[in-house]
Amino acid sequence: MAVRPITVIGHKALHQPTKKVREVTDEIRTLVEDMFDTMEAANGVGLAANQVGVRLRLFVFDVPDDEDETVNHRGVILNPVLEKGVVPPGEVPREEGGEGCLSIPGEHFPTARADWARVTGTDLDGNELVIEGTGLLARALQHETDHLDGKLFVERLTPTVRTRSREAIKQRGWEAAHITKWDPSTTDAEDV
């Protein structure tokens, strides 16, 4: 098991759709273990394979339950297909819907998401898997599936918030410094 570098906005792996997992190999099992280690080191609740530079359609998650803090929704899903409720239109109040991303470290923006979502796919053994939830779990399922489709959450922002996000990302200076990855085991997200 190892912590892998996380790709940063602008890295081509984040902006391309991923490829279906056709067979679970030892390399994929190792990838999943590494993704859990990486997510934990970065204090994340979800991590898509393309966030560690692998263009395969799978993600891991470890999301605290909204109502019972002793419960975590944790797992891996391969080839997820997303269903979701209605996304509310208009601006999202700043105090609601704040969303961040390990590929845009240190930034959080109000993002409209459906309050209910379900993904259907398979586990590492090929068994059908259905994960359904509301609140933070629903947000994570939508966020990670977006990654696998080559979309970042900042692309879902309203025009006003999108402008703020672009300014914040530019101020981080990743593009100017040619930073495309960060190592969560040695670097604080704020320092990237």
Side-chain angles (χ1 to χ4, degrees):
M1 281 64 69
V3 173
R4 295 187 182 204
I6 297 175
T7 57
V8 176
I9 187 171
H11 189 286
K12 67 180 181 178
L14 295 174
H15 304 283
Q16 301 170 338
T18 54
K19 298 174 183 175
K20 187 175 183 176
V21 177
R22 303 231 180 258
E23 177 184 6
V24 177
T25 62
D26 288 342
E27 289 81 16
I28 288 181
R29 289 182 187 279
T30 300
L31 169 66
V32 168
E33 290 174 11
D34 290 354
M35 287 174 63
F36 275 115
D37 290 347
T38 304
M39 178 179 62
E40 183 178 319
N43 295 314
V45 297
L47 186 67
N50 55 342
Q51 288 184 273
V52 293
V54 179
R55 285 188 55 212
L56 289 175
R57 194 164 182 81
L58 68 94
F59 68 80
V60 298
F61 59 96
D62 191 356
V63 181
D65 190 85
D66 288 335
E67 296 180 17
D68 185 348
E69 62 189 43
T70 65
V71 173
N72 267 38
H73 305 279
R74 181 179 168 90
V76 57
I77 188 159
L78 283 61
N79 305 319
V81 175
L82 176 69
E83 298 172 67
K84 63 184 179 182
V86 176
V87 177
E91 293 287 331
V92 179
R94 279 191 142 171
E95 61 279 355
E96 293 177 25
E99 192 166 318
C101 180
L102 297 177
S103 292
I104 307 174
E107 299 298 336
H108 293 81
F109 301 100
T111 308
R113 295 282 188 183
D115 190 50
W116 169 87
R118 172 175 44 220
V119 291
T120 305
T122 60
D123 65 15
L124 288 172
D125 297 319
N127 301 311
E128 185 176 331
L129 191 60
V130 177
I131 304 160
E132 182 175 351
T134 59
L136 183 57
L137 180 57
R139 182 176 292 279
L141 296 175
Q142 293 167 81
H143 181 105
E144 299 310 327
T145 304
D146 271 356
H147 271 302
L148 301 178
D149 293 336
K151 290 192 179 296
L152 294 171
F153 86 101
V154 291
E155 296 172 55
R156 300 245 180 241
L157 301 176
T158 60
T160 303
V161 179
R162 189 176 307 128
T163 299
R164 275 197 350 245
S165 76
R166 285 184 185 138
E167 291 168 1
I169 291 165
K170 186 175 181 180
Q171 285 179 344
R172 291 277 180 179
W174 300 317
E175 186 176 6
H178 304 289
I179 295 172
T180 59
K181 297 180 181 182
W182 70 281
D183 184 345
S185 65
T186 61
T187 310
D188 181 12
E190 296 296 322
D191 297 331
V192 174

